[in-house]
């Protein structure tokens, strides 16, 4: 556990966007004093711990309500939009890359925690008792302190804190541990391959050749393991990485589609719009406006009275 690649920041839009896609673990604290609506998607799984206020999230076409003492989990590459209806909406954020979690002993058998749950399941994370909620906030504070040096020499403590957080959430959600051997491991390997090779040929035939499995075996077991169609997952990873590129660069749509693995610009545009409801150019404009608005209405660690739990 010595070489964990942890990062931390308070709220900085540029760093936050980078962290959501590239960093193994990232802790944030933010409060919005306006609705600040946005459509978004990123590679990390995002956990939101609501300290005050509330609002509505739409994740993969399903509606979720957030409120004080609640936790919302957004699976990696799942498109989502939000609108704060009770402001200020003040929350802690913990983002973790799924591939990083899968590399950690014990935690990798609780990966069902780190996905978007059905609205019915998600209701189990609303109105959490003060003792449990405050303990999770305390863990976030400790993670913030432990990652100030980017994890130098403190990997074991970060792992212990993540494990405790995972077990607390698993108990609240009442999920069973997963058997991480056999087909689950193979499907996880395929999922990780997609995450890192999204710009390459990812046809079922190519994955079949690489992993020595029949295409229908991959398709059936991927859906069974992750509750997602494998082709839909490939598109979601590509769109998520397209968003990451858009947020950092000025790039033509043709070049962008090639960078994330699409041979057809029209296919890329269709998949992007299906995921986020807008075109890449509209997203770029929306994101720039969001950064400007959020910079005027957002609270961060540095201007908050730091209350320890």
């Amino acid at each position: 556990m010595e070489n964990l690649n942890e990062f931390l920041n308070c709220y900085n839009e540029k760093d936050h966007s980078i962290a959501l896609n590239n960093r193994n673990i990232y802790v944030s604290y933010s409060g919005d004093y306006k609705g600040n609506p946005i459509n978004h998607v990123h590679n990390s799984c995002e956990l939101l711990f609501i300290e005050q206020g509330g609002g509505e999230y739409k994740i993969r076409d399903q509606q979720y309500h957030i409120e004080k003492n609640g936790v919302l989990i957004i699976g990696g590459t799942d498109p989502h939009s939000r609108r704060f209806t009770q402001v200020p909406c003040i929350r802690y954020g913990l983002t973790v890359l799924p591939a990083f979690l899968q590399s950690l002993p014990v935690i990798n058998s609780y990966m069902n925690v780190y996905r978007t749950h059905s609205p019915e399941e998600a209701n189990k994370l609303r109105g959490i008792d003060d003792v449990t909620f405050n303990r999770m906030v305390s863990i976030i504070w400790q993670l913030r302190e432990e990652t100030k040096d980017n994890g130098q020499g403190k990997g074991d403590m970060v792992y212990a804190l993540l494990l405790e957080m995972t077990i607390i959430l698993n108990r609240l959600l009442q999920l069973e541990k997963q058997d991480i051997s056999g087909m689950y491991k193979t499907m996880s390997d395929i999922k990780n391959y997609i995450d890192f090779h999204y710009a390459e040929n990812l046809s079922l035939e190519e994955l079949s050749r690489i992993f020595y499995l029949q295409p229908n075996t991959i398709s059936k077991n991927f859906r069974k393991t992750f509750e997602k169609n494998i082709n839909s997952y490939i598109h979601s990873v590509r769109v998520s990485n397209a968003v990451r590129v858009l947020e950092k660069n000025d790039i033509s749509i043709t070049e962008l589609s090639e960078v994330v693995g699409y041979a057809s610009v029209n296919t890329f545009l269709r998949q992007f719009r299906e995921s986020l409801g807008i075109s890449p150019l509209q997203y770029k404009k929306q994101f720039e406006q969001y950064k400007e608005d959020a910079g005027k209405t957002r609270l961060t660690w540095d201007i908050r009275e730091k209350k320890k739990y």
Side-chain angles (χ1 to χ4, degrees), residues 41-43 60 76-79 194-195 228-242 262 271 275:
V41 63
H42 42 72
N43 294 335
R60 291 195 302 176
T77 74
D78 282 346
I194 292 168
D195 290 345
K228 291 183 179 181
N229 173 281
I230 189 168
N231 287 322
S232 296
Y233 182 71
I234 291 169
H235 288 308
S236 70
V237 171
R238 286 173 168 167
V239 169
S240 178
N241 281 282
Y262 285 103
Q271 292 298 331
S275 292

Side-chain angles (χ1 to χ4, degrees), residues 253-308:
I253 298 303
T254 300
E255 185 179 0
L256 178 60
S257 66
E258 293 174 354
V259 164
V260 297
Y262 285 103
S264 165
V265 174
N266 288 336
T267 301
F268 167 63
L269 290 172
R270 183 175 69 252
Q271 292 298 331
F272 194 100
R273 186 175 287 277
E274 284 184 7
S275 292
L276 292 171
I278 53 179
S279 72
L281 292 178
Q282 288 172 317
Y283 179 85
K284 179 78 170 178
K285 182 177 180 180
Q286 172 193 268
F287 182 71
E288 293 299 325
Q289 184 63 51
Y290 170 76
K291 284 197 300 181
E292 182 179 342
D293 292 343
K296 300 173 183 176
T297 61
R298 172 156 278 144
L299 172 72
T300 71
W301 290 103
D302 295 335
I303 58 175
R304 175 184 186 267
E305 180 183 356
K306 294 178 174 58
K307 177 182 176 183
K308 297 284 186 176

Side-chain angles (χ1 to χ4, degrees), residues 94-138:
L94 173 63
T95 61
V96 283
L97 283 175
F100 167 65
L101 290 170
Q102 287 175 345
S103 72
L104 301 178
V106 183
I107 291 177
N108 58 9
S109 61
Y110 289 100
M111 289 303 296
N112 269 342
V113 169
Y114 295 98
R115 60 177 173 83
T116 299
H117 300 275
S118 69
E120 293 73 25
E121 286 180 318
N123 282 337
K124 297 175 183 177
L125 299 180
R126 292 175 62 182
I128 298 169
D129 66 90
D130 287 341
V131 172
T132 302
F133 187 81
N134 289 344
R135 177 54 194 155
M136 289 191 288
V137 169
S138 177

Side-chain angles (χ1 to χ4, degrees), residues 205-219:
E205 290 73 21
E206 180 64 11
L207 293 174
S208 174
R209 183 188 67 79
I210 294 170
F211 290 95
Y212 302 101
L213 290 172
Q214 290 296 320
N216 63 335
T217 300
I218 294 175
S219 181

